[in-house]
Amino acid sequence: MAAEEPVSGETVIRVPDIGDFEDVEVVEILVGPGDQVEVEDALVSIESEKATMEIPSPVAGLIHEVRVALGDSVSEGDALMVVLAEAASASVQDPEPAPPVAPSPEPAASVSEPLVEPLAEKVAKSTPAPAAPEPKIPSPEGVHAGPGVRRRARELGVNLAEAQGTGPLGRILQDDVTDHVRATMQGGGAGQGRGVPPVPAVDFSRFGPVREEPLAKIRRVSAQNLSRSWLNAPHVTQHDEADLTQLEGFRRECKEEAARQGLKLSPLHFVLKAVARVLLEFPDFRSSLAPGGEALIVKDYFHLGVAVDTDNGLVVPVIRDVDSKGIFELARELSDLAERARARRLGPGDMQGACFTISSLGGIGGTAFTPIVNVPEVAILGLSKLRVQPHWSGGTDPGADAVFESRAVLPLSLSYDHRVIDGAAAARFTTRLAVIMGQPAHLLL
Ligand code: CAO
């Protein structure tokens, strides 16, 4: 009986019964000459239109020869490898070799024929046995991972060459991919190792005169932060508008008093206050995803970041406890922060701790934009320029006995991290904000 006879010398490993598949492509060769393999170690991956499968080794031993190349088409019975099998290997005790691993979508057919074939002694004798191998250390070119792991890595944009394999022979396991993603989310570089193809370098001088100007440090840092935010958070922007007619009237009334205090009130100061109020009602918007992405950390404080445009680039100082401050106090504090930002006198503490950010282009122009969330925050509110526009007092009924009134309208652009915020929640948030700003007495409730 084959099970009782020790198998030693060279053994040809062939494609086992793989069901109805024929001419299946070799998509990965997981071992090379000189590698030590154990029973069940994956040798090659093959991929049909329906499934990816690993062909496991039915014997323990040294890989002597690889008989297929990437891209080859193979069918049942085709030779894959020649292995110098160890005498009395596990395969000897168990003549029934393991079926190939086919995680999805169809299970592999069971193996009905022997997969190993002893070679003629003559061949074995003529081939010198290779020296005992060192354990295989995966190289970027020859990453050691199964098809399921590779598929998941592809889906997540993980470069497997950068993941640390903890399996046998340095093999990369599902958990290693998870750990790699977690580590990257917690502090990895922007865009690095995420499968984002680099922008090709172009020699612009071929098209006309050019100059190279170094980027200010602030711009370089914010470029990195913005890329990291953009790549980590799936962004959506909800556009809306708030009727500020009443609020603008009130702002005009406060103008003199503000001037007496050396201040200029801007719509932004009222928006800060209204946003703090809405954040109280919508805790998810002042949260961050916990490391690992399985929980939300909700912040019960109302520190708001405000994007400030400076000659050297964008900085985002933070106003603390906006919920408990008055409009004049907010105006004074923002003016001080913006002044210090432009004079490059902000300390790191001035730019930390926000739970939400506002970016106002209202003093400049534009009708709407898509601000980038300041991750790990989950939302940012963009403000564009107030405009006076006609409003039909008859609502959505064009035939109503109504009139056109002129209203001051503030465009709102709320970008949010769709992993945390749903579109419906975003629409509720901006709707509520518009109500509060439209009838500022709500702030007193
Ligand atoms: N609509 C119409 N006018 C507006 C307005 C709006 N939404 N917001 C402000 N204004 C007015 C102000 O009332 C002020 O008018 P007066 O000169 O008559 O007083 C003028 O525009 C200039 O305001 P400001 O921009 O200097 O002041 P602010 O308090 O509104 O904003 C700050 C302060 C620091 C946010 C702003 O100066 C700034 O830097 N904005 C740019 C932010 C940025 O670059 N964001 C883009 C980042 S990418 O997401």
Side-chain angles (χ1 to χ4, degrees), residues 251 264-269 306-309 314 334 338 342 359-364 369 371-372 380 383-386 410:
R251 187 167 73 98
K264 267 170 63 170
L265 289 187
S266 148
L268 174 59
H269 306 133
V306 179
V308 175
D309 174 41
L314 189 67
L334 178 57
R342 287 170 181 143
S359 175
S360 173
L361 293 175
I364 303 169
F369 65 114
I372 295 180
I380 181 169
L383 307 176
S384 295
K385 197 173 180 62
L386 263 170
L410 177 70

Side-chain angles (χ1 to χ4, degrees), residues 130-152:
E134 292 292 313
K136 182 179 165 76
I137 298 167
S139 66
E141 302 78 39
V143 172
H144 217 42
V149 172
R150 285 174 190 272
R151 192 179 313 113
R152 183 148 174 267

